[in-house]
Amino acid sequence: MAAKIRKGDKVVVLTGRDKGRTGEVIAVHPSENRALVRGVNMVKRHQRQTAQQEGGIISKEAPIQLSNIAIADPKDGKPTRVGFKIMNDGRKIRVARRSGVEIDG
């Protein structure tokens, strides 16, 4: 089945501590039904010092459930569901259900 949310997509958080915030998808883990979104679901982690990186408390993104995020409509930026449309040349593209605009050309 084709992925509804992919790396590089602009998404809106629907529920939780970061509700309403938008960000770009950094990585998707389909087997775990989770995605990493830039600047969303930030957590603090203690990190030991290494030769390349200094130690201390760092902030980084934690994975968020796919059910808690939705694609931002390309037209107005509000959350939308994703549909699929098959083009004349046989390609399958994603379409925003809210406005009918193509998500990826």
Side-chain angles (χ1 to χ4, degrees), residues 53-75:
Q53 222 166 9
E54 66 177 74
I57 301 172
I58 61 161
S59 289
K60 64 183 214 176
E61 294 93 355
I64 188 169
Q65 278 280 355
L66 288 177
S67 62
N68 295 336
I69 58 177
I71 296 264
D73 196 325
K75 211 172 212 178

Side-chain angles (χ1 to χ4, degrees), residues 26-44:
I26 303 168
V28 180
H29 307 292
S31 58
E32 302 167 18
N33 281 327
R34 291 183 177 271
L36 273 178
V37 182
R38 190 177 315 282
V40 173
N41 199 21
M42 299 298 284
V43 293
K44 301 242 186 228

